[in-house]
C-alpha cells in the first residue's frame, strides 16, 4: 500500500510538479499474484491502486450481474415506474425532455430507443443552449402539453426546476425527473424525483451519470412490465444492446469510473465495438477511427462531435444521431456535427487565448480561478474551463457576459465540491440560477456580482484547499526500463482499465532515456523517439498541445540529451502489427 508521502521525488519537473513514485508492499504483490494467477506487473498495479485481495476478480472483470444495484433502492424509483406503466398501458402521450450535452443526449436516446421498441413514439424536446439555457422551462413544458403530452420524463436536468414543474403540474402534465445533479433543501413538484444526489437520498451510487440513472429506470420498468405480462405478444427489449450509449454518456460526463460505472463502461465498450449503433458508427467513420473504440475515443473523438450540435449548432442533433437506425440519415447527421465541431474548435481557440491572458494575471492565492469575458460563446466555455483546470490544477469557472448577465461553466478537481459551493451561492442570492455536481457546475450571475461571487466561492472552497497540494504531484504507477516498454506490458496495463475519473490512466516513468529526434508536428504537438545509451530499444513519443509551453520546449531543446519522462504507454496497430508509443505528460532535465 501507499505510504503517507508515497516516496515523493523532490526535484521539480518542467511543469513544476513533483513526481510521486507509488511504492507497493511486495508481500501484498506476491499474494495478489499467486492467489489470482496474475503477472507481477498487474499485481503491483492492483496493489498501488488500493485494490484488496478479495476485490481483484471483480475489479478486473466488472460485470453488471455483480455490480448493478437494485433500482428500487433509489427514492421515488418505484413511483416513477408505476406512473410509466400506467402511461404505457393507457396509451398516453409521453415526452422526453433532454439536455444538449452528451450525458443528456445519451439519456434521451436511450429512452427513445426503449419506447420505440415497445411501439411507442414519444415526443422529444431538447432546449436550445443559447435561447433557452439549461434545464426545464415553462414555455417548453406548456408546449408539450398542447401537443397532448400527459407525462414528461426529464433526463439530466429538473432537480432545481421548481417553477416550470409546478406550472406543468397546474395544467395536468406530470413530470418524472431522472437526474444526478445536486439538489437543495427544496423538492420540485414532480410525481417522481429519481436522483442519487438529492439531499434526502442515502444511495451509495452518487457517482452515476444521468444516463446511468436512466438505465436503472429502464431495468426497473422492464421488470415491472414483465411481471404484469405486458410482453405477451410484444418482444421484450434487451437493454444490453444499448450499453454503448450508456458507456458514452458515462465517460463524457467525467463521473468516477468506479463500482457500477466501471461495469457499465466495460460492457458498453464491448457493445460499441460491435458497431450496432448507426449514428455512433457514422461518427467513428467520419473521424477516421479504425481501431477498437476505448475510453479515449469515446471522450475525445465521439463525444465532442455529439456535443458540437448543442455548442454551436442545433441542440437536437446528438439525440437524433444516437437514436436513428437509418444509415443515410446517420451519415448526414455525422457530417453536420463534424462541421459544427470544426467551427467549435475555431471559436474555442480564440476564447482560450483571451482566457489564458486573464488567468495569468489572476490572484494565485485564490482556491478557485474565475475568468470572464464579454461575447464569449456559451457553447465552448466549458471546454476552456477544463483546459484551464488542467493547466492551473484548481477549480475554474469561465463566464461569458452578454448584456450585463454572465453565464458560466465550471470544472473542479478531486476533493473540491464545486456543485455544492454553487448551490450555496444561489441560496444566498449571488446567482440568478445555478447547479451541478462535485466536478462540474454551471450558473448565471449578474455582471456586478462576479467579484463578490468569486470571494464567496473562494471562502467556501478554502477549507478544502489542502486537496490542491495533490494536484501539484504527478503520481507514477510504474518505473520501467525502455526495454520493458513492450506490447506485453501495455496489455497488462490495459487490464486495469477502463480509465477515467476515479481510475486514472496508468502512468509510467522512464529514466535516463535519450531524446533522439524531437520535432514539432500538427497542431502544436511534439513527437520524438527515445532510446537508451546501453540499449538498442526504441520508443516513439508524442506530447500533445504543448509545443509552446515548458513541456514542449523542454523536449524540443533537449535533442540528444538524457532526460526522465513520464507518461502513458499506448498500444496501437499499424498494418496489422503492434506499435508502441509513450504519450508524454512531463519531463525532468538533468
Amino acid at each position: 500500500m501507499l505510504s503517507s508521502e508515497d516516496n515523493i521525488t523532490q526535484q521539480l519537473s518542467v511543469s513544476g510538479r513533483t513526481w510521486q513514485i507509488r511504492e507497493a508492499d511486495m508481500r501484498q504483490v506476491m499474494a495478489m499474484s499467486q492467489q489470482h494467477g496474475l503477472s507481477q506487473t498487474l499485481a503491483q498495479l492492483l496493489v498501488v491502486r488500493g485494490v484488496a485481495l478479495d476485490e481483484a476478480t471483480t475489479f478486473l472483470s466488472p460485470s453488471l450481474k455483480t455490480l448493478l444495484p437494485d433500482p428500487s433502492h433509489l427514492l421515488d424509483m418505484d413511483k416513477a415506474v408505476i406512473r410509466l406503466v400506467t402511461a404505457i398501458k393507457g396509451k398516453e402521450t409521453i415526452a422526453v425532455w433532454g439536455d444538449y450535452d452528451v450525458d443528456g443526449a445519451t439519456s434521451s436516446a436511450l429512452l427513445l430507443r426503449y419506447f420505440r421498441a415497445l411501439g411507442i413514439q414519444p415526443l422529444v424536446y431538447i432546449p436550445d443552449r443559447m435561447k433557452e439555457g439549461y434545464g426545464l422551462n415553462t414555455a417548453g413544458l406548456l408546449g408539450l402539453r398542447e401537443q397532448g403530452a400527459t407525462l414528461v420524463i426529464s433526463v439530466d436536468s429538473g432537480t432545481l426546476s421548481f417553477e416550470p414543474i409546478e406550472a406543468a403540474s397546474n395544467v395536468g402534465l406530470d413530470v418524472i425527473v431522472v437526474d444526478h445533479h445536486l439538489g437543495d433543501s427544496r423538492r420540485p413538484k414532480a410525481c417522481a424525483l429519481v436522483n442519487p444526489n438529492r439531499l434526502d437520498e442515502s444511495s451509495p451510487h452518487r457517482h452515476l451519470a444521468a444516463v446511468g440513472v436512466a438505465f436503472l429506470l429502464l431495468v426497473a420498468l422492464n421488470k415491472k412490465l414483465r411481471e404484469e405480462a405486458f410482453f405477451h405478444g410484444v418482444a421484450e427489449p434487451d437493454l444490453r444492446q444499448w450499453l454503448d450509449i450508456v458507456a458514452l454518456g458515462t465517460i463524457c460526463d467525467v463521473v468516477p469510473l468506479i463500482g457500477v460505472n466501471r461495469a457499465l463502461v466495460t460492457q458498453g465498450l464491448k457493445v460499441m465495438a460491435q458497431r450496432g449503433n448507426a449514428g455512433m458508427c457514422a461518427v467513428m467513420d467520419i473521424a477516421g477511427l479504425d481501431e477498437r473504440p476505448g475510453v479515449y475515443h469515446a471522450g475525445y473523438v465521439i463525444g465532442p462531435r455529439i456535443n458540437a450540435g448543442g455548442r454551436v449548432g442545433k441542440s437536437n442533433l446528438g439525440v437524433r444521431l444516437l437514436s436513428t437506425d437509418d444509415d443515410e440519415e446517420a451519415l448526414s447527421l455525422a457530417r453536420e456535427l463534424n462541421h459544427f465541431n470544426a467551427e467549435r474548435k475555431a471559436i474555442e481557440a480564440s476564447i482560450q487565448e483571451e482566457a489564458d491572458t486573464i488567468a495569468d494575471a489572476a490572484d494565485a492565492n485564490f482556491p478557485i480561478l474565475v475568468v470572464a469575458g464579454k461575447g464569449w460563446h456559451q457553447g465552448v466555455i466549458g471546454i476552456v474551463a477544463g483546459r484551464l483546470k488542467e493547466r492551473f490544477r484548481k477549480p475554474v469557472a469561465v463566464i461569458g457576459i452578454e448584456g450585463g448577465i454572465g453565464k458560466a461553466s465550471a470544472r473542479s478537481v478531486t476533493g473540491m465540491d464545486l456543485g455544492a459551493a454553487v448551490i450555496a451561492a444561489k441560496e444566498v442570492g449571488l446567482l440568478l440560477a445555478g447547479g451541478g455536481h462535485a466536478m462540474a457546475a454551471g450558473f448565471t450571475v449578474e455582471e456586478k456580482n462576479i467579484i463578490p461571487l468569486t470571494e464567496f466561492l473562494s471562502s467556501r472552497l478554502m477549507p478544502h484547499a489542502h486537496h490542491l497540494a495533490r494536484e501539484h504531484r504527478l503520481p507514477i504507477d510504474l518505473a520501467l526500463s525502455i526495454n520493458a516498454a513492450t506490447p506485453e506490458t501495455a496489455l497488462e496495463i490495459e487490464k486495469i482499465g477502463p480509465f477515467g475519473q476515479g481510475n486514472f490512466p496508468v502512468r509510467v516513468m522512464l529514466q535516463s532515456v535519450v531524446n533522439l529526434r524531437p520535432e514539432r508536428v500538427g497542431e502544436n504537438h511534439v513527437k520524438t523517439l527515445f532510446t537508451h545509451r546501453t540499449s538498442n530499444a526504441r520508443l516513439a513519443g508524442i506530447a500533445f498541445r504543448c509545443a509552446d509551453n515548458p513541456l514542449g520546449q523542454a523536449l524540443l531543446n533537449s535533442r540528444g540529451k538524457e532526460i526522465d519522462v513520464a507518461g502513458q504507454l499506448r498500444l496501437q496497430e499499424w498494418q496489422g502489427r503492434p506499435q508502441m508509443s509513450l504519450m508524454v505528460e512531463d519531463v525532468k532535465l538533468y
Side-chain angles (χ1 to χ4, degrees):
M1 300 299 291
L2 306 186
S3 67
S4 58
E5 291 299 318
D6 294 323
N7 190 22
I8 300 169
T9 302
Q10 295 302 317
Q11 178 192 355
L12 291 179
S13 66
V14 296
S15 70
R17 303 175 79 178
T18 53
W19 290 8
Q20 174 183 291
I21 313 299
R22 290 173 156 175
E23 292 187 337
D25 184 324
M26 293 311 296
R27 291 172 299 179
Q28 294 183 40
V29 172
M30 293 305 297
M32 183 76 74
S33 176
Q34 293 171 5
Q35 181 164 322
H36 296 285
L38 307 176
S39 70
Q40 184 167 323
T41 296
L42 183 54
Q44 181 175 338
L45 288 173
L46 289 171
V47 170
V48 299
R49 291 292 171 111
V51 178
L53 195 61
D54 59 352
E55 296 173 343
T57 300
T58 300
F59 185 87
L60 294 174
S61 302
S63 68
L64 291 175
K65 182 177 180 180
T66 302
L67 295 170
L68 191 72
D70 179 356
S72 292
H73 88 281
L74 289 170
L75 294 175
D76 282 4
M77 178 65 81
D78 292 339
K79 287 183 183 179
V81 168
I82 290 170
R83 181 64 185 91
L84 278 166
V85 170
T86 300
I88 291 169
K89 288 188 171 182
K91 301 187 184 303
E92 296 180 43
T93 299
I94 300 172
V96 174
W97 184 294
D99 188 31
Y100 35 69
D101 71 357
V102 181
D103 193 16
T106 51
S107 300
S108 303
L110 178 67
L111 293 182
L112 289 180
R113 285 188 170 274
Y114 181 82
F115 286 126
R116 288 173 184 170
L118 299 184
I120 299 169
Q121 293 295 329
L123 302 174
V124 184
Y125 195 100
I126 309 296
D128 185 282
R129 180 193 290 263
M130 301 302 295
K131 297 177 181 177
E132 300 173 87
Y134 169 78
L136 298 164
N137 63 73
T138 299
L141 287 173
L142 296 183
L144 290 172
R145 184 69 184 97
E146 290 175 0
Q147 295 179 61
T150 54
L151 176 63
V152 171
I153 310 171
S154 173
V155 289
D156 200 27
S157 66
T159 297
L160 300 176
S161 299
F162 307 110
E163 291 81 6
I165 292 177
E166 183 169 0
S169 178
N170 290 339
V171 296
L173 180 60
D174 287 340
V175 178
I176 293 173
V177 174
V178 179
D179 199 2
H180 72 134
H181 292 96
L182 291 171
D184 65 15
S185 56
R186 297 174 294 165
R187 280 194 55 194
K189 196 176 179 181
C191 66
L193 172 59
V194 184
N195 182 345
N197 285 297
R198 51 186 276 184
L199 288 186
D200 56 346
E201 179 61 80
S202 60
S203 171
H205 301 284
R206 298 170 65 87
H207 54 277
L208 282 166
V211 71
V213 183
F215 184 77
L216 288 183
L217 174 68
L218 294 187
V219 170
L221 179 57
N222 226 28
K223 178 183 177 183
K224 187 65 174 177
L225 290 174
R226 188 186 311 123
E227 291 172 351
E228 300 204 0
F230 178 83
F231 296 121
H232 290 175
V234 178
E236 179 178 341
D238 183 353
L239 300 179
R240 293 173 298 179
Q241 66 184 305
W242 301 315
L243 283 171
D244 52 351
I245 297 175
V246 181
L248 179 63
T250 300
I251 292 166
C252 291
D253 215 53
V254 202
V255 292
L257 297 190
I258 58 177
V260 64
N261 282 350
R262 185 171 170 80
L264 290 170
V265 169
T266 298
Q267 303 307 321
L269 288 175
K270 293 177 183 177
V271 176
M272 197 180 294
Q274 296 169 6
R275 295 176 61 88
N277 185 293
M280 223 175 289
C281 289
V283 170
M284 289 190 281
D285 291 342
I286 288 288
L289 177 59
D290 57 0
E291 58 184 306
R292 186 181 180 89
V295 171
Y296 172 82
H297 307 104
Y300 294 96
V301 178
I302 304 172
R305 288 167 171 80
I306 302 296
N307 249 337
R311 292 191 185 280
V312 295
K314 302 173 185 176
S315 294
N316 68 349
L317 290 184
V319 177
R320 289 174 57 195
L321 179 79
L322 294 172
S323 59
T324 186
D325 290 319
D326 185 304
D327 290 338
E328 290 187 8
E329 180 186 21
L331 184 58
S332 175
L333 290 169
R335 285 172 173 160
E336 193 172 0
L337 285 167
N338 200 54
H339 168 75
F340 285 136
N341 192 50
E343 183 180 337
R344 183 269 304 170
K345 287 182 179 179
I347 296 171
E348 175 198 330
S350 174
I351 295 174
Q352 186 75 59
E353 184 176 358
E354 293 182 45
D356 283 339
T357 301
I358 297 171
D360 286 335
D363 189 338
N365 294 318
F366 277 37
I368 182 171
L369 171 64
V370 178
V371 297
K374 293 185 177 180
W376 287 358
H377 197 293
Q378 300 300 313
V380 302
I381 56 176
I383 300 173
V384 175
R387 296 221 189 281
L388 289 174
K389 182 203 77 170
E390 292 302 318
R391 179 184 168 198
F392 290 93
R393 297 186 284 278
K394 65 167 63 175
V396 173
V398 177
I399 307 173
I401 303 171
E402 289 285 353
I405 301 297
K407 294 187 177 181
S409 283
R411 301 292 182 267
S412 193
V413 298
T414 302
M416 308 279 276
D417 192 336
L418 190 55
V422 166
I423 290 173
K426 182 174 180 291
E427 289 181 335
V428 300
L430 283 172
L431 299 176
L432 299 174
H437 51 80
M439 300 299 290
F443 56 82
T444 303
V445 60
E446 292 184 81
E447 185 177 2
K448 65 181 182 181
N449 283 335
I450 291 178
I451 292 177
L453 172 66
T454 302
E455 294 171 348
F456 178 86
L457 293 176
S458 292
S459 67
R460 290 281 303 193
L461 294 173
M462 186 61 78
H464 309 285
H466 60 279
H467 290 288
L468 296 179
R470 285 204 303 260
E471 296 298 315
H472 288 269
R473 300 177 183 178
L474 192 72
I476 306 292
D477 295 285
L478 288 174
L480 295 177
S481 69
I482 196 168
N483 290 329
T486 63
E488 292 74 20
T489 300
L491 288 172
E492 290 296 276
I493 289 174
E494 284 182 7
K495 294 176 183 178
I496 299 293
F499 298 113
Q501 188 72 28
N503 185 42
F504 293 103
V506 170
R507 187 176 289 114
V508 304
M509 175 183 69
L510 278 68
Q511 292 182 296
S512 303
V513 294
V514 179
N515 184 17
L516 276 182
R517 293 197 295 268
E519 59 178 317
R520 185 171 184 151
V521 296
E523 299 179 5
N524 205 33
H525 313 314
V526 175
K527 77 171 184 178
T528 188
L529 188 66
F530 298 119
T531 188
H532 195 273
R533 298 290 187 197
T534 61
S535 171
N536 293 323
R538 298 286 190 274
L539 180 65
I542 180 75
F544 294 108
R545 296 186 301 274
C546 71
D548 297 320
N549 69 26
L551 172 59
Q553 290 299 301
L555 287 169
L556 291 170
N557 295 327
S558 59
R559 177 185 295 269
K561 298 180 181 178
E562 287 189 352
I563 59 176
D564 294 345
V565 292
Q568 301 167 36
L569 284 180
R570 303 175 69 190
L571 176 61
Q572 298 171 297
E573 281 197 6
W574 175 254
Q575 297 181 343
R577 299 179 61 185
Q579 297 288 325
M580 288 296 305
S581 64
L582 181 74
M583 189 176 75
V584 179
E585 297 180 76
D586 208 356
V587 164
K588 285 185 179 179
L589 303 175
Y590 290 96

